[in-house]
Amino acid sequence: MFVSPPGYQPIYSPVKHTYLGPIYGGLREGMSIYIQGTIPKHITRFFINLICGEYESSDIALHFNPRFDGWDKVVFNTCQNGSWGLEEKIHRMPFRKGEHFEMVIIVNFQGYQIKVNGIDFHTFQHRIPMEQVRGLQIADISHFVFKPVPYSNIIPGGMFPKRTIIIRGMVPYGAHKCVILRLLAKSLVQEGIVVRNSMIGGNWGQEEREMTFKSFPLSLRCQSVVETRGLRCL
């Protein structure tokens, strides 16, 4: 039977395919994060993030992203203010599909030392101070949900400040409009712009067209209190 030492806070059997939780007290030199599990046979990618907040949109101090894509590799990176840094690619794969693994992230002065099944894999040097890390995020990217359009659904709990919705997808060839949202309106692909608007009582407001449409994923973050309760994509 496993008995955790004082101050050790294990998480057993988190929600399948995704996990987002706090690191109480943050990180400091000499700490280690221990992760064990089994790699699904159907997986294409997964990631482990050390994040600087409590939300998916928080800065990422460590992005650990194994990719099983025929040129198996592990990508390391950081993300600050929504912008990704320079990738570090290690063209070795320490995991095997269908097999159990044990991984340790050791926090030291130099960076994050990664060990898989007891073997040193790579040390990712600090780009963001370790003291800013407040949470851990793990997700199986192959299990992100893709819905056919048109799509409409409620937003459980509604929108509130700092809540973020991330939309991933592909714009079909020849499309004129790719997205219509309850709170954002539509993206005009051929014109390469995003039209932002709102509708109250069946009447559209004044359009905003300052943004330039590039590609997915699209991140929507609430900055103030709103009454939005649903999402619609067309």
Side-chain angles (χ1 to χ4, degrees), residues 146-147 149 167-180 186-194 212-218 233-234:
F146 291 88
K147 297 289 186 179
V149 292
I167 300 174
R168 300 175 184 270
M170 180 181 67
V171 180
Y173 178 77
H176 296 279
K177 299 176 183 178
C178 68
V179 179
I180 294 181
K186 52 193 174 183
S187 300
L188 304 181
V189 179
Q190 290 187 339
E191 296 181 28
I193 62 172
V194 175
T212 300
F213 179 77
K214 293 183 179 180
S215 62
F216 288 105
L218 174 65
C233 300
L234 299 177

Side-chain angles (χ1 to χ4, degrees), residues 4-233:
S4 60
Y8 183 75
Q9 298 157 328
I11 303 294
Y12 298 105
S13 301
V15 178
K16 191 175 183 181
H17 308 310
T18 182
Y19 170 77
L20 177 63
I23 298 177
Y24 297 103
L27 292 183
R28 59 184 181 275
E29 188 177 356
M31 292 183 63
S32 295
I33 298 172
Y34 177 74
I35 301 170
Q36 63 176 348
T38 301
I39 304 297
K41 292 183 178 180
H42 57 264
I43 200 170
T44 56
R45 297 182 180 187
F46 73 94
F47 66 78
I48 298 172
N49 289 340
L50 295 180
I51 58 177
C52 303
E54 302 176 3
Y55 308 98
E56 291 184 355
S57 57
S58 302
D59 286 351
I60 302 172
L62 169 66
H63 177 66
F64 176 84
N65 178 207
R67 301 178 182 180
F68 302 85
D69 54 8
W71 295 271
D72 292 355
K73 57 183 171 289
V74 177
V75 174
F76 290 81
N77 210 339
T78 55
C79 186
Q80 293 181 276
N81 300 318
S83 298
W84 288 98
L86 183 64
E87 291 184 343
E88 291 184 17
K89 297 180 180 180
I90 309 301
H91 291 273
R92 292 182 286 117
M93 179 57 66
F95 306 100
R96 292 183 180 273
K97 293 184 179 182
E99 294 187 6
H100 180 82
F101 73 92
E102 295 181 350
M103 174 179 168
V104 182
I105 303 174
I106 302 171
V107 184
N108 56 41
F109 179 79
Q110 180 183 7
Y112 300 103
Q113 180 184 358
I114 309 297
K115 289 190 174 185
V116 180
N117 297 328
I119 300 174
D120 281 329
F121 179 70
H122 182 66
T123 296
F124 182 74
Q125 295 187 354
H126 292 300
R127 300 180 186 176
I128 298 175
M130 69 181 83
E131 294 80 10
Q132 295 184 21
V133 173
R134 290 293 180 269
L136 174 68
Q137 179 185 22
I138 304 174
D140 173 356
I141 299 178
S142 61
H143 275 86
F144 279 127
V145 179
F146 291 88
K147 297 289 186 179
V149 292
Y151 169 76
S152 180
N153 203 351
I154 63 170
I155 300 174
M159 293 297 289
F160 48 81
K162 295 187 178 180
R163 186 167 196 178
T164 302
I165 297 175
I166 298 177
I167 300 174
R168 300 175 184 270
M170 180 181 67
V171 180
Y173 178 77
H176 296 279
K177 299 176 183 178
C178 68
V179 179
I180 294 181
L181 301 171
R182 182 63 177 170
L183 62 158
L184 281 197
K186 52 193 174 183
S187 300
L188 304 181
V189 179
Q190 290 187 339
E191 296 181 28
I193 62 172
V194 175
V195 178
R196 297 175 296 169
N197 209 333
S198 61
M199 177 184 287
I200 303 176
N203 297 315
W204 285 104
Q206 184 176 357
E207 292 183 346
E208 297 180 6
R209 295 184 172 225
E210 293 85 355
M211 298 174 62
T212 300
F213 179 77
K214 293 183 179 180
S215 62
F216 288 105
L218 174 65
S219 177
L220 314 177
R221 184 171 187 178
C222 179
Q223 299 291 351
S224 58
V225 178
V226 295
E227 297 181 356
T228 300
R229 293 293 182 271
L231 171 69
R232 180 183 300 166
C233 300

